[in-house]
Amino acid sequence: MKSLILAEKPSVAREMARVLGLKDKHKHYIEGPNYVVTWALGHLLELKMPEDYDKAYQTWKMEDLPIIPKHMGIKVIKQTAHHFKGIEQLAKRDDLKELIIATDAGREGELVARWIIKRLRWTKPLKRLWISSQTDQAIREGFRTLKPAGNYESLYESAVCRAEADWLIGLNVTRALTTKYNDPLSAGRVQTPTLAMIVDREKKILGFVPKPYWSLKAQIGPVTAVFERDGEKRLFNEAEAHELEEKLKNQSAQLTTLKSQIKKEAQPLPYDLTDLQRDANIRFGFSAKKTLNVLQGLYEHHKIVTYPRTDSRYLTEDMRSTMGDRLKAVAHAYKEEAQPLLRNKGGRVQAERVFNNSRVTDHHAIIPTEEPAFLRDLTSDEAKLYELIVRRFLALFMSPYQYKSYQAVFTCQSETFTASETETVDLGYRRVTHPQESVKQAGFSELKEGKTYTIQNLSLSSHTTEPPSRLSEADLLKRMEKYGLGTPATRAEIIERLIQNQSIDRRNGRLFPTPKGKQLIDLVNEDLKSPKLTAKWERELESIARGKGNRADFMANILEQTKKLINEVKNSDQHYRAHNLTGSKCPECGELMKEVKGKDGRILVCSNQECRYRRRKDPKLSNRRCPTCHKKMEIHNGKAGTYFQCRTCNIVEKATDKKKNVSKHEARKLLKKYSPDDGGLGNPLADALKAAMETKDE
């Protein structure tokens, strides 16, 4: 009897097969003496759509909402149905004694496997492989210490609740908004409050009124000091600023206060996913999605970092014994930084607070594995991300950063100047995290309290208050984490979805709400766009995953909220106008066309949801002339075949409306020019040309 292993994707399955010595390869599985490993392709099943319960739901109608199935079912995803059938046939074998869940060790990975198992109607024993890295050693150890699948039942319940809640709220509210306002408007449990943050920042920027202000700066003794009054360093009265400049120029100032204190800055903890995404966005301009994709490659393909989708920045106590081996692996690529640490008692961790079992949930922080890294094998992006992880890891073996903080207060004619500076005592961990940083020396050591100094080089400079900057992805990720919006594994996807829905734009590393996004926020319920409600739901989902929450209570609350949200949309008197309507009319139904971004550039789409006609914004021009304005007409392919349209007059003529006799030579040229494969006139003209060429006459 053999054990059936279910991995999340083919690449992981191949690695497990290699480590376990499985060599008999088939289309849907790899087999060996004791194991048969198969794989999913991400999700192979999904929740049924409304039309799967009732064909009438194919047409979106407000009176059908909210759609709340009595029992939510799952279905095989059509695009990968062939692969699921392969797994289904495999699972029927009599020589399989158990199934080992080897999908990603997290909420979504658990759901991927459990839905497959549910659809297979698997009744034999279940076990769980739970590992945080993909090294050979970790895989072997994981299979030696398999866990009962029942230990993760609560995690599965939490995943189902999340999926069903997103379906009920997201699908119903999206249908309600789209139906009422006749434009594709997408809303959701997490994406709507995320969008609200971006729109709120935009409102603050647009409503900002700049104010002029002035500041005074002077050289007092060996330091540079700034004028300060009641904690404010800005002067908003120009006349007063100039008076102060004249009053204090070349005067003497007494050092009334001089404070110094040695401070320590603890080593930074290793990265969790959100923290790494933020740093990669700030330093390299990576989107959250790109960081996750690159990190996944370092984890799965190169096996040099641990599990990416983690929300913890701590390590477990039992990992203490592995730190030396990890440091040796890092030394292959970062010999200059790592070798001195290895000589220090074999690499002793000085940041003891990193070991904290109570702060580790499903997975520990992202750190290097025991697998040696060779930078020549990494892409440029992989090398950049790996270096961030490595330098944060190396910091754990180094001493804290120590510096001396100085604060000085000067008094002159009842006015005050202040100065502050830091002086490096010991760079500590910053030698690896900030390798370009040099030791700071301050001139404050020359100052003596009570002594008088001459105010020199007094300068008055004018400034203008500036609005808050638009959110970068790093800023947004920080806010999403603060309010509990989404999980480390889903936040990147949420941002990308908002961009795809044309609710926001990403420009020059900043996030801008589109006119559509701004209007959408005005249309939705206050609770749905508040992060507080979504954060509450996320806490409840986490509680269910820990076995403490109640699934029935959570879903009852979601159902109640769904009904409330739909009723508010139905009864709303808000107005919406699609911002991208053009003056062009649809040749199929006559409604106005909308301009949207497509894969091949900008395209025009019919605003009638039932028509759904679309064409490129800048189609090809024909030699055919408009009978009214005599301009060249555009060539289009529609449901009824090829036609010509004048953009100026909106006159439409079918390709067969006007006939022209051509020679066979001309016909061959036209056929080549307007072949369907080249996106030309299409089959009607091509067929006519072919038929004409078969005859003997011209």
Side-chain angles (χ1 to χ4, degrees), residues 207-214 234-238 462-467:
F208 181 81
V209 179
K211 294 181 181 179
Y213 71 92
W214 291 260
R234 297 173 299 177
L235 294 163
F236 290 94
N237 186 307
E238 184 177 7
S462 61
H463 310 272
T464 304
T465 56
E466 295 183 356

Side-chain angles (χ1 to χ4, degrees), residues 231-300:
E232 177 60 75
K233 297 179 180 179
R234 297 173 299 177
L235 294 163
F236 290 94
N237 186 307
E238 184 177 7
E240 181 188 17
H242 285 290
E243 286 176 12
L244 282 168
E245 182 184 20
E246 291 300 320
K247 174 184 174 182
L248 301 173
K249 189 178 291 184
N250 299 322
Q251 296 296 315
S252 295
Q254 185 181 27
L255 179 59
T256 54
T257 305
L258 178 62
K259 294 180 180 179
S260 65
Q261 183 182 4
I262 292 181
K263 296 182 178 180
K264 286 185 179 182
E265 188 176 277
Q267 305 91 331
L269 292 168
Y271 286 111
D272 61 11
L273 176 57
T274 302
D275 197 33
L276 181 59
Q277 286 171 322
R278 288 178 54 221
D279 259 17
N281 179 251
I282 292 168
R283 298 195 186 193
F284 312 127
F286 288 3
S287 68
K289 183 72 174 175
K290 179 176 181 176
T291 298
L292 181 55
N293 289 342
V294 173
L295 187 58
Q296 198 71 27
L298 292 174
Y299 167 68
E300 284 184 4

Side-chain angles (χ1 to χ4, degrees), residues 60 169-171 173-178 183-189 191-193 195 494 497-498 500-503 516-517 520-521 523-524 528 576:
W60 291 21
I169 290 178
L171 184 143
V173 176
T174 295
R175 282 200 173 204
L177 291 169
T178 300
D183 199 39
L185 297 173
S186 178
R189 185 179 61 88
Q191 73 179 51
T192 301
L195 172 61
I494 292 160
R497 191 182 305 151
L498 287 171
Q500 290 166 8
N501 292 339
Q502 298 179 0
S503 295
K516 179 179 179 178
L520 176 57
I521 287 300
L523 298 175
V524 298
L528 188 58
Y576 173 88

Side-chain angles (χ1 to χ4, degrees), residues 366-531:
I366 301 169
I367 60 173
T369 64
E370 299 93 333
E371 197 77 17
F374 299 97
L375 297 183
R376 65 177 180 273
D377 297 333
L378 305 182
T379 65
S380 172
D381 290 341
E382 287 172 339
K384 288 176 181 177
L385 211 59
Y386 182 63
E387 182 171 0
L388 284 183
I389 296 166
V390 165
R391 292 192 179 279
R392 186 67 73 91
F393 174 72
L394 292 173
L396 300 174
F397 299 85
M398 304 188 76
S399 60
Y401 168 56
Q402 292 187 59
Y403 61 95
K404 195 170 187 178
S405 171
Y406 290 96
Q407 288 182 319
V409 179
F410 298 90
T411 304
C412 176
Q413 298 188 27
S414 303
E415 302 294 353
T416 302
F417 283 86
T418 61
S420 60
E421 188 59 89
T422 59
E423 185 176 83
T424 304
V425 176
D426 179 10
L427 278 174
Y429 74 84
R430 293 178 76 91
R431 289 187 180 90
V432 292
T433 59
H434 299 74
Q436 306 303 320
E437 186 172 291
S438 57
V439 174
K440 292 181 182 178
Q441 296 291 341
F444 281 67
S445 56
E446 301 173 24
L447 294 175
K448 290 185 180 180
E449 194 169 324
K451 188 176 178 180
T452 300
Y453 300 88
T454 302
I455 297 176
Q456 297 176 322
N457 303 326
L458 182 65
S459 62
L460 179 67
S461 55
S462 61
H463 310 272
T464 304
T465 56
E466 295 183 356
S469 59
R470 288 180 175 85
L471 298 176
S472 66
E473 284 197 44
D475 300 327
L476 186 60
L477 287 166
K478 184 177 181 179
R479 286 167 172 257
M480 292 175 76
E481 184 178 44
K482 177 183 176 181
Y483 291 107
L485 297 180
T487 66
T490 61
R491 286 174 190 138
E493 181 186 340
I494 292 160
I495 296 171
E496 294 301 320
R497 191 182 305 151
L498 287 171
I499 294 171
Q500 290 166 8
N501 292 339
Q502 298 179 0
S503 295
I504 65 173
D505 276 335
R506 185 194 285 125
R507 300 199 299 266
N508 299 322
R510 297 285 167 175
L511 301 173
F512 293 71
T514 62
K516 179 179 179 178
K518 292 176 186 177
Q519 288 189 83
L520 176 57
I521 287 300
D522 291 335
L523 298 175
V524 298
N525 170 278
E526 287 295 328
D527 287 342
L528 188 58
K529 61 187 178 187
S530 167

Side-chain angles (χ1 to χ4, degrees), residues 484-642:
L485 297 180
T487 66
T490 61
R491 286 174 190 138
E493 181 186 340
I494 292 160
I495 296 171
E496 294 301 320
R497 191 182 305 151
L498 287 171
I499 294 171
Q500 290 166 8
N501 292 339
Q502 298 179 0
S503 295
I504 65 173
D505 276 335
R506 185 194 285 125
R507 300 199 299 266
N508 299 322
R510 297 285 167 175
L511 301 173
F512 293 71
T514 62
K516 179 179 179 178
K518 292 176 186 177
Q519 288 189 83
L520 176 57
I521 287 300
D522 291 335
L523 298 175
V524 298
N525 170 278
E526 287 295 328
D527 287 342
L528 188 58
K529 61 187 178 187
S530 167
K532 293 180 181 177
L533 180 63
T534 303
K536 176 176 174 288
W537 287 337
E538 286 293 344
R539 287 194 299 271
E540 290 174 2
L541 287 171
E542 190 61 30
S543 181
I544 293 170
R546 300 278 165 254
K548 298 176 182 178
N550 186 293
R551 177 186 176 182
D553 291 346
F554 175 81
M555 291 309 301
N557 182 27
I558 291 293
L559 290 172
E560 182 182 341
Q561 195 71 32
T562 301
K563 294 173 184 176
K564 177 185 174 183
L565 292 170
I566 297 305
N567 285 332
E568 288 198 13
V569 175
K570 286 181 177 180
N571 300 324
S572 172
D573 57 0
Q574 294 267 23
H575 297 283
Y576 173 88
R577 176 177 169 80
H579 70 284
N580 52 352
L581 282 174
T582 67
S584 299
K585 290 185 177 180
C586 174
E588 303 281 340
C589 70
E591 293 291 328
L592 289 175
M593 304 279 281
K594 294 184 299 185
E595 183 180 320
V596 299
K597 288 181 181 178
K599 292 181 179 178
D600 300 322
R602 294 197 171 270
I603 59 173
L604 294 177
V605 179
C606 180
S607 59
N608 183 347
Q609 294 292 307
E610 294 181 2
C611 176
R612 302 193 177 219
Y613 168 80
R614 59 177 54 212
R615 67 172 171 81
R616 290 189 63 172
K617 184 185 176 186
D618 299 310
K620 293 181 179 179
L621 293 175
S622 71
N623 289 323
R624 190 164 182 165
R625 299 281 178 172
C626 171
T628 303
C629 68
H630 304 294
K631 291 182 179 179
K632 286 187 176 182
M633 300 180 79
E634 298 169 350
I635 305 169
H636 300 286
N637 284 319
K639 294 178 182 176
T642 302

Side-chain angles (χ1 to χ4, degrees), residues 150-357:
N151 292 3
Y152 304 93
E153 198 67 34
S154 296
L155 186 65
Y156 169 55
E157 292 291 322
S158 172
V160 172
C161 285
R162 195 275 310 156
E164 293 184 356
D166 285 350
W167 192 99
L168 287 166
I169 290 178
L171 184 143
N172 278 293
V173 176
T174 295
R175 282 200 173 204
L177 291 169
T178 300
T179 304
K180 187 175 181 75
Y181 300 107
N182 194 33
D183 199 39
L185 297 173
S186 178
R189 185 179 61 88
V190 178
Q191 73 179 51
T192 301
T194 303
L195 172 61
M197 291 178 181
I198 299 169
V199 172
D200 181 59
R201 175 57 64 91
E202 188 71 11
K203 287 179 179 177
K204 289 180 179 177
I205 293 170
L206 296 177
F208 181 81
V209 179
K211 294 181 181 179
Y213 71 92
W214 291 260
S215 61
L216 277 168
K217 185 185 291 185
Q219 187 74 24
I220 305 179
V223 300
T224 301
V226 293
F227 176 84
E228 184 174 328
R229 182 185 287 170
D230 299 326
E232 177 60 75
K233 297 179 180 179
R234 297 173 299 177
L235 294 163
F236 290 94
N237 186 307
E238 184 177 7
E240 181 188 17
H242 285 290
E243 286 176 12
L244 282 168
E245 182 184 20
E246 291 300 320
K247 174 184 174 182
L248 301 173
K249 189 178 291 184
N250 299 322
Q251 296 296 315
S252 295
Q254 185 181 27
L255 179 59
T256 54
T257 305
L258 178 62
K259 294 180 180 179
S260 65
Q261 183 182 4
I262 292 181
K263 296 182 178 180
K264 286 185 179 182
E265 188 176 277
Q267 305 91 331
L269 292 168
Y271 286 111
D272 61 11
L273 176 57
T274 302
D275 197 33
L276 181 59
Q277 286 171 322
R278 288 178 54 221
D279 259 17
N281 179 251
I282 292 168
R283 298 195 186 193
F284 312 127
F286 288 3
S287 68
K289 183 72 174 175
K290 179 176 181 176
T291 298
L292 181 55
N293 289 342
V294 173
L295 187 58
Q296 198 71 27
L298 292 174
Y299 167 68
E300 284 184 4
H301 179 64
H302 298 289
K303 307 174 188 301
I304 54 178
V305 301
T306 56
Y307 185 74
R309 293 174 171 85
T310 177
D311 60 356
S312 176
R313 297 182 61 193
Y314 291 84
L315 307 175
T316 53
E317 284 288 346
D318 60 358
M319 296 180 68
R320 198 184 286 269
S321 60
T322 70
M323 300 299 275
D325 290 338
R326 295 175 196 271
L327 187 57
K328 289 176 184 175
V330 166
H332 281 78
Y334 294 89
K335 186 175 181 180
E336 184 179 337
E337 294 87 348
Q339 286 294 348
L341 302 177
L342 283 168
R343 289 194 291 270
N344 179 23
K345 299 180 181 178
R348 184 177 65 84
V349 173
Q350 296 197 42
E352 286 289 328
R353 66 192 178 107
V354 73
F355 299 109
N356 189 334
N357 289 355

Side-chain angles (χ1 to χ4, degrees), residues 9-23:
K9 55 187 71 173
S11 58
V12 176
R14 285 192 294 269
E15 284 304 306
M16 289 181 177
R18 181 185 61 78
V19 173
L20 297 173
L22 317 184
K23 297 181 180 179

